[in-house]
Amino acid sequence: MPSFLRKGTLLRLLSVGLALVMVSSCAVRTDQITRDPNSVRIAVNNWVGYEASAEVLAYILREEMEYEVQLVRVDEQPSWQALDQGVMDVILENWGHDDLFELYGPEGNGTAVDGGPNGNEGVIGWYVPAYLAEEYPEITTVEGLKENTDLFQTAQTGDSGEFLAGAPGFVSQDQGMINAFDLDLQMVYAGSEAAQITEVRRRAANEEPVLFYFYDPQWFQEEIDLVKVEFPEYYDGCDADPEFVDCDYPVYDLNKIFRAGFVEHDDHAYRFLDNWTWTNSDQNAVARMIADQDLSPPEAAEIWVNENRDIWEEWLPEGYEDRR
Amino acid sequence: MAAMTEPVRATGSGAGGPGNRGGSGGLLRNTWLQALIAVAVLVAGYWVTRALGNPAWAGSFPTGVGDSFMAWLDGVYAWVVANRNDSPLFLYFFNYISVGLGSAVVLINYFLDFLTWAGVTVLGVFAAWRIAGWRVALLVLATFGVFALTGLWNESMTTLSLIITAVFMALLFGIPLGILAGRSDRFYRGLRPVLDFMQIMPAFAYLLPFVLLFGIGNPASAVVTAVYALPPVVRITALGIREVNKGAVEATTSLGSTPWQILTKVQLPLAKRTILLGVNQTIMLAVSMVVIASVIGAGGLGDAIYQALAKINVGQAFQAGLAIVMLAIAMDRVTGAVGHGAHTPRIPEHQRMPLLGGGLALVILVTAVGRLLDLGGWPRDLSIRIDTPINAVNDAVQAAIGPAAAAFGGWTQTTVLGPLNNLLTGSPWWLVVLVAAALGWIFSGWRVGLVSGGSFVAIGLLGVWSNAMDTLSQVLVATVVTIALGVVVGVLMSRSDVFAAILRPVLDFMQTLPPFVYLIPAVALLGLGPVPALAAAVIFALPPVIRLVNDGIRGVPAGTIEAAASQGSTKWQLLTKVELPMAVGSLRLAINQGIILVLSMVVMGALVGAGALGNDVVLGLAQNELGLGIASGLAIVFLGLFLDRVTQGRRAPRA
C-alpha cells in the first residue's frame, strides 16, 4: 500500500465520515458519538504534577500497549463537562471537587464515575518562605500569625495584611479561615498560578514577606523552601459553612474520574488506568524534569518509564499483549 | 492592521446638549468646568460619607436583585447539565452543530496533516504568490519557517484549522447580516447594540455557556471564536453597501433591475473591496481568540502558550506567541492584498489556467513525495530553540530595571489607583449614579445622560457594584494613559515618515502578540496586582489608537495647513488649533477603540491579580458559577456602554 494512503489516516477519515452520516440520520447524543476504540483521551489540567502523570501514562499506553493517546489540555471544570459529553475518557487527578461530582456523578446525571485514589496525596495550605519563618518563628502558628499580620501589608492592601490566593479554579476555603481565626488579612487574587509563583519568586529574591495559598505535590516546592502554617486539623464538617472554616484544609487522597461509558467498555486501557497508582515522589521526579530541567514532557516521561519498569509493569492488565 | 471595528460613524443630528451654545456662555457653561464640578460633588460626597462613618444608606448598591439573577442562571446551568443527554433541543439541534463543527475542524486538520509540511508550504506559498505577489509569498514562507523551526508545526496546523472553520462560520452569517444592514437602516439600528455587546462581553464569560451548548474542544472553540470575530465583517460590509454610489443604483433601478440584480450586479461588486477589509478584520480577531479558546480544549498554539506559562517559561511562551504573530501578519497581508487587488503578478489571460494547473500539480507532486518519505509534521529535532536567549533577556531586563519598576508599581498603586478605587467604591451608590448621569449629560446631551445613569443602575442590579467600581477605576486609568500616549506617539508618527516606517511593524507585533506572553514578565517587573494588568492593557490597546491618530492628522488637507502656516501659526498652534480639531473624527474613533480594547483586557488582567470583575468572570468559568460569570461580564458591557457614549460626544448619532 502506498504510504500516503496509510491505514491510520484512512480509518480516521472514515470514522469522522461515519459520525457525520450518523448525525444526518437520527438524533445525536454527544456521549454516543462513535469514537476510535483505539484511542484514549486524557484530560490534562494546567499544573505540572498533573501533566507528569498524564505524560507517563500516555507514554506507556502508546509505546507498550499501542494505543493512540490524545492529551487534551483543558481547565478542571470543563474537563468534567467533557466526560459528560463523551469526548474525554479520564481525569487523572481530582482535588476534591465534590460539587462537580454531585452534578455529574451517580447522584447527578451519571456520566462520571469515581475511579478511586491514584496514590498521590494532596496537601493544600497556607505557606510562607523559610527565610521568613526563620526570622519570625512564631508566624507558622495561628496565634503567631494573628499578631504579625502587619508584616504582610502591601500598597494594595493598606492596613490589613495580604493573603495571596491561588488560581481561580483551585479549591479554596481561605476567606472562611480568615473569618474563623479572626485574622486581619485581605485576600488578593493572584488570578493564575503562573502569576502567583512569579510574585513569590520576585519577593523571595529580596527576602520580602509573603503569605500565600499553595499545595504539594508541586515542583515549585523544590525551588524555594516553604513552611506550612499550622492550623487546627481538619475534621468532618468544619468546612460546611464557607464563610466560617475553623480548620485547615483536609489532606486529599487525589482520585481518578472516569467517563461512565469508558468504564462499561472495560477494555485494556481502562483496566490499565484503573490499576495505576503511584506516589508523590514518583510524580515529583517527573514534574521536576519538566519544570526545572526543561525537558519536554514526553522526554521526561520516557526517562522515568525506562528507570522504573518494576513500578509500572504492575499496572499492565492481564492479556494486554493480545490486542496487538 | 488597525482593529477598526467601529468605522461607521455617519454624521447625523445628535442630541443637543447644555454646553452647545457656542462661545457666548459664561464660566459655568464651560463643559470641562461643569464636569469638574460633578467630580468635586462626588469627592465631597465621599468625604461626607466617611465623616459620618459609612452609614448604611450611603453604601454600595444592595445585592438582592443581583443575587437572585445569578441564582436563576445557576439554575439554568443545572437544568442543562441534567437534561442535555435527553432534551430534544440538544439531540436534534445543538449536538448536530457541535458534531458538524468538531468534524470540520478535525477534517481540515487531517487534510493539512495529509499534505505534510512540504505540501502545506508549497500550497501556501503558491497561493500567496498568485493572490498577493512575491513579497507576501516570501512572508508566508517565513511564517511556515517559524512554525517549523519553533518546533510547533503540528500546533500551528491545529490552530490554522480552527481559525479557518471559525472564520468561515463568521462570514457565513456575517456577510448576509451585513448586506441586510447595508440595505435597511432600521435593521442596522437594531443590530448595532448587539454587535457592541458581542465585542465588549468578555469571551471568558460566555465560554462556559458555549461549552454547555456545543461541547468542549473544537465545537465550542469554533463558535466562541466566530462570535467574537463576527462584528467587524457585519459593520464593514454594511458600510461598503451603503457607500456604493447612489447614482449607480438609481441607474440600474431605472433600467428595471430587480433588487436581487441590483445587489449581485451592482452593490456587491462595487463593495467588494470594503467587504474584504471586513473579512480581514474578522480573521485578525479570530487569531486573537486562539489562546482563550485553549482554556476549553482547543489545543494548538494557544495551548503551547499555556503549557509554557504553567512552568513560567517566558521564552517558550514567546516562541509560541511569535508563531501566532506571524500567522496573523501573514493572513492580514494575504487578505489585504485581495482587497487592494495590488501586487498581483501580471499574468496574461491565456496562461492563467495552465499556471493554476501547474501549481496544483506541483502541490500534489510534493505531497506525494512527502508522504512517500513519511514527512508528516516538521520534525521537532530540527527546531531551533529561542527560549533560552529570550529568558536570558527577560532576566537581564528584570535585573536592570526590576527595583525601579517595582517602586513605580507601588507608587501607582498608592497614589493613583488606590485613592480612585476608594472614591468610587466608598461613595454612596446613588451619588455615583447621579454623577455618571451628569457627566453623560454634560459631555453628550441628555440622552447619553440617561444611558449613563441607566448603565450604573443596571450594574447595581446585577449585584456586582463594588467590583464594578474597582474595575472602573482601573479602566479609567488605563484608558487615560493609553489615549495620552497614543496621541503623543500618533502625532510624532504623523510628523516623520521614517519614524512611521519603523513603528509600523512594532505596532503589528504589539497588536498580535497574545497578552499572555507579556503578562507574566509584567508581574515579575511591577509586582502582582492591578498595575501589571494596566501595563498589559496599555500595550494591547495602544497600537490602534496610535494608528488612528496618525491617519487622522495625515488626512488633514495640505491646503488648510499651508493657509494656517502662511498666517504665521507656530507648529504648536498648527497642531492644537488646526490639525487635531480637524482630525476629531479619527480621534473619537481612537478613543472608542482605546476603551473597547482596554475593557477587553479586564479579564486578562485578572489573571495577574487585577481582581474585581475580571476575577469573577474567570471564577465563574473555573468554579462552575455561570451566574457570577455572566453577571460580571454584563457589568463590563455596561461600563463600556457608559465610557463609550460619554466620550463620543454629542455629535455621535448612536447615543
Side-chain angles (χ1 to χ4, degrees):
Chain A
M1 179 181 285
S3 71
F4 58 86
L5 283 179
R6 269 186 322 190
K7 207 173 93 201
T9 318
L10 211 63
L11 207 124
R12 281 185 206 169
L13 287 175
L14 274 177
S15 63
V16 172
L18 197 71
L20 281 174
V21 171
M22 263 192 50
V23 171
S24 51
S25 60
C26 59
V28 51
R29 297 181 53 159
T30 45
D31 60 345
Q32 290 172 338
I33 291 168
T34 48
R35 65 178 200 93
D36 187 352
N38 204 30
S39 156
V40 186
R41 298 153 311 168
I42 301 177
V44 183
N45 294 163
N46 207 17
W47 56 92
V48 182
Y50 189 123
E51 196 178 3
S53 301
E55 290 287 349
V56 166
L57 294 174
Y59 187 84
I60 301 169
L61 280 166
R62 276 183 191 134
E63 300 299 322
E64 189 68 24
M65 303 176 69
E66 302 198 348
Y67 276 95
E68 299 254 350
V69 182
Q70 271 176 278
L71 294 177
V72 187
R73 188 169 299 264
V74 61
D75 268 12
E76 286 169 272
Q77 195 281 127
S79 46
W80 287 72
Q81 292 205 29
L83 293 185
D84 177 42
Q85 293 159 3
V87 294
M88 197 88 78
D89 296 317
V90 61
I91 297 169
L92 296 174
E93 191 176 298
N94 170 48
W95 288 69
H97 278 289
D98 294 338
D99 53 329
L100 288 165
F101 196 67
E102 221 164 87
L103 213 51
Y104 298 106
E107 305 293 313
N109 70 0
T111 48
V113 175
D114 182 357
N118 67 13
N120 288 141
E121 241 183 26
V123 179
I124 300 179
W126 291 21
Y127 287 83
V128 291
Y131 59 78
L132 196 69
E134 272 162 33
E135 203 178 337
Y136 306 91
E138 68 278 12
I139 56 168
T140 59
T141 63
V142 189
E143 295 75 27
L145 183 62
K146 194 172 171 180
E147 275 156 30
N148 286 293
T149 48
D150 50 346
L151 266 180
F152 303 104
Q153 286 171 358
T154 65
Q156 208 184 337
T157 56
D159 296 337
S160 303
E162 174 202 61
F163 177 78
L164 199 53
F170 290 178
V171 176
S172 154
Q173 60 182 38
D174 306 311
Q175 190 59 55
M177 288 164 71
I178 291 174
N179 296 346
F181 297 108
D182 192 24
L183 300 164
D184 185 16
L185 292 172
Q186 190 185 328
M187 300 260 286
V188 169
Y189 295 96
S192 60
E193 189 178 282
Q196 192 194 28
I197 292 179
T198 306
E199 176 68 6
V200 174
R201 240 185 211 169
R202 193 179 71 83
R203 295 205 199 163
N206 314 322
E207 304 218 336
E208 286 172 33
V210 57
L211 168 70
F212 60 109
Y213 172 105
F214 215 58
Y215 62 96
D216 191 45
Q218 215 295 0
W219 60 271
F220 188 62
Q221 297 265 10
E222 311 288 330
E223 184 180 313
I224 291 180
D225 274 339
L226 300 177
V227 181
K228 192 168 173 293
V229 179
E230 295 299 325
F231 283 95
E233 219 168 281
Y234 177 86
Y235 60 91
D236 226 16
C238 67
D239 55 354
D241 175 8
E243 291 299 310
F244 191 89
V245 182
D246 59 352
C247 62
D248 206 344
Y249 283 89
V251 173
Y252 293 96
D253 285 326
L254 304 182
N255 60 333
K256 317 164 204 176
I257 305 290
F258 290 111
R259 179 170 64 86
F262 185 63
V263 176
E264 279 157 29
H265 192 60
D266 194 29
D267 71 347
H268 292 299
Y270 163 69
R271 288 193 201 160
F272 167 73
L273 291 170
D274 194 41
N275 288 342
W276 162 64
T277 59
W278 67 351
T279 62
N280 282 9
S281 70
D282 292 329
Q283 191 191 65
N284 274 338
V286 183
R288 219 171 307 146
M289 283 191 270
I290 299 173
D292 282 357
Q293 296 165 28
D294 216 16
L295 292 179
S296 82
E299 284 168 350
E302 186 179 351
I303 292 173
W304 188 89
V305 166
N306 286 337
E307 286 173 358
N308 295 279
R309 186 161 272 277
D310 52 318
I311 299 181
W312 59 263
E313 273 184 343
E314 293 187 10
W315 308 337
L316 296 171
E318 262 175 56
Y320 78 96
E321 302 93 341
D322 303 342
R323 64 177 296 280
R324 292 186 186 185
Chain B
M1 209 190 312
M4 297 228 316
T5 48
E6 183 70 24
V8 186
R9 297 237 165 252
T11 47
S13 59
N20 196 9
R21 285 161 205 158
S24 62
L27 254 185
L28 274 176
R29 298 250 167 93
N30 182 301
T31 307
W32 286 101
L33 191 67
Q34 288 172 335
L36 206 64
I37 292 170
V39 173
V41 168
L42 182 66
V43 175
Y46 168 69
W47 284 109
V48 170
T49 313
R50 279 198 63 161
L52 294 175
N54 299 315
W57 51 266
S60 298
F61 207 100
T63 57
V65 181
D67 288 345
S68 45
F69 175 65
M70 289 185 209
W72 177 76
L73 281 174
D74 289 340
V76 172
Y77 173 79
W79 181 87
V80 173
V81 169
N83 289 287
R84 65 162 295 148
N85 288 323
D86 310 304
S87 163
L89 187 65
F90 283 92
L91 297 184
Y92 294 99
F93 182 67
F94 284 119
N95 292 0
Y96 275 81
I97 299 177
S98 40
V99 173
L101 286 175
S103 312
V105 177
V106 172
L107 279 176
I108 296 173
N109 205 353
Y110 281 160
F111 176 68
L112 293 174
D113 282 350
F114 179 81
L115 290 180
T116 73
W117 64 261
V120 171
T121 308
V122 172
L123 177 64
V125 173
F126 176 74
W129 171 74
R130 183 67 191 83
I131 294 170
W134 61 271
R135 275 165 185 266
V136 176
L138 279 182
L139 182 72
V140 170
L141 184 65
T143 304
F144 285 128
V146 169
F147 292 169
L149 292 176
T150 48
L152 293 166
W153 181 269
N154 292 333
E155 286 83 351
S156 306
M157 292 304 115
T158 307
T159 290
L160 194 58
S161 319
L162 180 70
I163 290 177
I164 291 172
T165 315
V167 168
F168 178 74
M169 208 168 26
L171 299 183
L172 193 68
F173 290 96
I175 291 183
L177 281 175
I179 292 173
L180 283 177
R183 289 164 69 100
S184 153
D185 282 333
R186 250 172 74 202
F187 183 73
Y188 196 19
R189 246 174 305 172
L191 197 62
R192 257 190 208 155
V194 181
L195 298 179
D196 284 351
F197 176 82
M198 284 164 79
Q199 272 187 299
I200 305 183
M201 184 79 176
F204 267 92
Y206 54 80
L207 280 183
L208 185 56
F210 279 36
V211 167
L212 264 188
L213 295 182
F214 297 103
I216 194 119
N218 289 326
S221 309
V223 179
V224 169
T225 308
V227 166
Y228 181 71
L230 179 81
V233 75
V234 178
R235 287 195 164 119
I236 300 177
T237 303
L239 178 74
I241 299 274
R242 255 161 228 279
E243 278 182 346
V244 167
N245 192 320
K246 292 258 163 30
V249 175
E250 268 166 33
T252 332
T253 318
S254 66
L255 288 171
S257 299
T258 60
W260 178 251
Q261 282 171 328
I262 294 175
L263 178 67
T264 52
K265 305 272 188 231
V266 181
Q267 287 176 315
L268 280 183
L270 286 176
K272 187 183 137 206
R273 263 189 59 181
T274 318
I275 293 176
L276 279 164
L277 180 68
V279 172
N280 172 301
Q281 289 303 312
T282 291
I283 293 174
M284 290 298 100
L285 289 187
V287 174
S288 73
M289 278 294 283
V290 162
V291 181
I292 292 177
S294 67
V295 174
I296 52 171
L301 291 172
D303 193 75
I305 289 187
Y306 262 121
Q307 208 173 326
L309 287 184
K311 287 158 245 161
I312 323 203
N313 189 334
V314 175
Q316 231 174 45
F318 182 83
Q319 225 169 243
L322 184 66
I324 294 180
V325 169
M326 290 301 287
L327 178 67
I329 295 180
M331 291 183 98
D332 176 69
R333 298 298 188 267
V334 172
T335 50
V338 178
H340 304 141
H343 309 305
T344 317
R346 254 171 232 164
I347 297 154
E349 190 74 43
H350 65 276
Q351 285 181 9
R352 285 186 191 168
M353 285 311 288
L355 191 78
L356 190 66
L360 278 180
L362 183 66
V363 171
I364 292 170
L365 180 74
V366 171
T367 302
V369 172
R371 297 231 58 105
L372 283 171
L373 296 177
D374 207 9
L375 288 179
W378 179 270
R380 264 172 211 273
D381 310 343
L382 294 182
S383 58
I384 302 166
R385 296 186 56 171
I386 54 165
D387 55 340
T388 320
I390 301 265
N391 279 332
V393 170
N394 185 38
D395 291 344
V397 169
Q398 222 170 292
I401 61 167
F408 172 75
W411 177 83
T412 314
Q413 177 66 43
T414 21
T415 55
V416 184
L417 274 172
L420 187 58
N421 184 12
N422 286 342
L423 174 67
L424 287 170
T425 41
S427 298
W429 67 265
W430 40 266
L431 188 61
V432 179
V433 170
L434 285 177
V435 170
L439 286 175
W441 182 60
I442 291 165
F443 283 112
S444 313
W446 64 271
R447 273 171 204 260
V448 175
L450 283 182
V451 170
S452 304
S455 300
F456 275 72
V457 171
I459 288 169
L461 289 175
L462 286 166
V464 291
W465 179 266
S466 299
N467 276 340
M469 292 305 109
D470 189 351
T471 293
L472 177 61
S473 66
Q474 298 177 25
V475 168
L476 280 175
V477 175
T479 310
V480 168
V481 174
T482 303
I483 289 167
L485 272 177
V487 170
V488 172
V489 179
V491 167
L492 291 177
M493 190 176 174
S494 71
R495 288 280 176 275
S496 155
D497 286 340
V498 178
F499 182 55
I502 296 170
L503 202 57
R504 264 194 201 104
V506 178
L507 295 182
D508 278 351
F509 196 80
M510 278 164 75
Q511 211 173 354
T512 46
L513 187 69
F516 289 82
V517 176
Y518 49 81
L519 275 171
I520 295 301
V523 173
L525 279 178
L526 298 166
L528 191 107
V531 181
L534 294 191
V538 171
I539 292 178
F540 183 69
L542 206 46
V545 177
I546 295 177
R547 278 184 226 266
L548 285 165
V549 172
N550 173 46
D551 283 353
I553 292 184
R554 280 174 190 261
V556 174
T560 318
I561 295 176
E562 270 167 33
S566 69
Q567 289 178 357
S569 304
T570 61
K571 280 195 167 178
W572 178 250
Q573 283 172 331
L574 207 60
L575 180 67
T576 52
K577 305 277 181 204
V578 182
E579 289 176 306
L580 286 179
M582 286 200 67
V584 72
S586 297
L587 287 178
R588 282 231 172 88
L589 186 52
I591 292 172
N592 160 282
Q593 288 298 300
I595 291 168
I596 287 189
L597 292 177
V598 165
L599 279 169
S600 74
M601 284 289 287
V602 164
V603 175
M604 303 277 162
L607 297 177
V608 291
L613 287 180
N615 196 64
D616 282 352
V617 169
V618 181
L619 208 74
L621 175 72
Q623 298 281 18
N624 237 353
E625 295 184 35
L626 183 67
L628 182 65
I630 301 238
S632 306
L634 286 174
I636 294 177
V637 174
F638 282 116
L639 286 180
L641 191 70
F642 161 71
L643 289 170
D644 183 56
R645 295 303 188 262
V646 168
T647 51
Q648 287 308 308
R650 59 182 63 85
R651 253 168 287 174
R654 308 166 40 212

